[in-house]
Amino acid sequence: MYPFIVYMLRSYTRSQRYFGPLAGIVIAVLILYSYKPNPVMNSYAATAVMLFISCAWMSLSFLNHEHAVHRQIAVVHMRSAAKHSAGSILTLCFLTLLLDILIVLYPWVTGHFAESPGAYRLILALIGHGLLGMLGVAIALFFQSSWIQKGSHATGMLLAIVVLSLGGAQISESLPGIFHFLIWLLPPVTPVMEAMMKADTLSLAELLGSFAQALVYITLLIGFYLYRSRQRDYNKT
């Protein structure tokens, strides 16, 4: 699996499709921290949401960068489309973790906070950024060109889900009681963002509950994606 991840990183880097999502998150973070001082957890909640959007964009560009013939050859070498998909997800997980660490450490190292974040809030920030980043990755898995051929449709649907995810709190308030359960179908961006913003007042159990909701959502999406990938195994078609 390690050689495949290295291959995918080199292939994605050479395609230069990383530039858009990377430039987007860098510019957004620099603008956010363009003045001093900043509140710690509110700033981290904002950059976690930026990472969610950026990782959804990066994931879509990453999954679409490989030529169809190269992908088929890679699947044959991996002996399974599911292994190829798992390797792609691990590569995206590595890129997300890299962005997570850089975004969390940057304002602390450069002194953009009003106070020292401390180890507890740094750990919460790393977990929150990682979860929202992987949430963006997990959603984008289903909108790559091998699943939805028309790029404009895939991009439009992905953007719609991102917008609905960000408006989760407002949607929850506007839904009648009988339809309130529908909020659980939306990606849990709002619960994680609110938990990070209220991290200083919420109990550890409440924080972990919000993070666990996102983790379960990500696991279900990736699990279903890998299951469907196994059924779409190129060696069987």
Side-chain angles (χ1 to χ4, degrees), residues 13-14 25 36 40 43 51 61-62 71 84 88 102 105 109 132-133 143-144 153 163 165 171 203 206 216 228:
T13 304
R14 288 172 182 167
I25 187 68
K36 299 179 183 179
V40 178
S43 300
L51 187 61
S61 69
F62 176 86
R71 175 187 171 91
H84 179 278
S88 299
L102 291 175
L105 293 185
V109 173
L132 288 193
F143 297 98
Q144 57 183 291
H153 290 175
V163 171
S165 304
I171 294 172
S203 66
E206 290 173 311
V216 169
R228 291 290 299 158

Side-chain angles (χ1 to χ4, degrees), residues 17 59-67 143-146 151 154:
R17 293 196 181 196
S59 178
L60 194 62
S61 69
F62 176 86
L63 295 166
N64 288 341
H65 89 278
E66 197 176 16
H67 191 279
F143 297 98
Q144 57 183 291
S145 58
S146 61

Side-chain angles (χ1 to χ4, degrees), residues 15-35:
S15 76
Q16 299 185 348
R17 293 196 181 196
Y18 65 90
F19 182 77
L22 181 61
I25 187 68
V26 169
I27 292 171
V29 170
L30 290 179
I31 290 175
L32 177 68
Y33 292 117
S34 59
Y35 65 92

Side-chain angles (χ1 to χ4, degrees), residues 101-183:
I101 294 172
L102 291 175
I103 291 172
V104 170
L105 293 185
Y106 168 72
W108 176 45
V109 173
T110 55
H112 280 82
F113 286 140
E115 56 184 322
S116 174
Y120 176 69
R121 288 190 285 188
L122 279 175
I123 293 171
L124 289 181
L126 286 169
I127 297 173
H129 281 77
L131 286 173
L132 288 193
M134 284 307 298
L135 189 59
V137 168
I139 293 169
L141 291 174
F142 300 92
F143 297 98
Q144 57 183 291
S145 58
S146 61
W147 287 63
I148 300 178
Q149 292 186 348
K150 197 159 187 177
S152 57
H153 290 175
T155 304
M157 286 189 284
L158 180 60
L159 280 174
I161 291 178
V162 168
V163 171
L164 288 173
S165 304
L166 298 179
Q170 289 75 17
I171 294 172
S172 175
E173 293 172 359
S174 61
L175 284 175
I178 192 173
F179 295 114
H180 193 74
F181 72 94
L182 291 175
I183 196 64

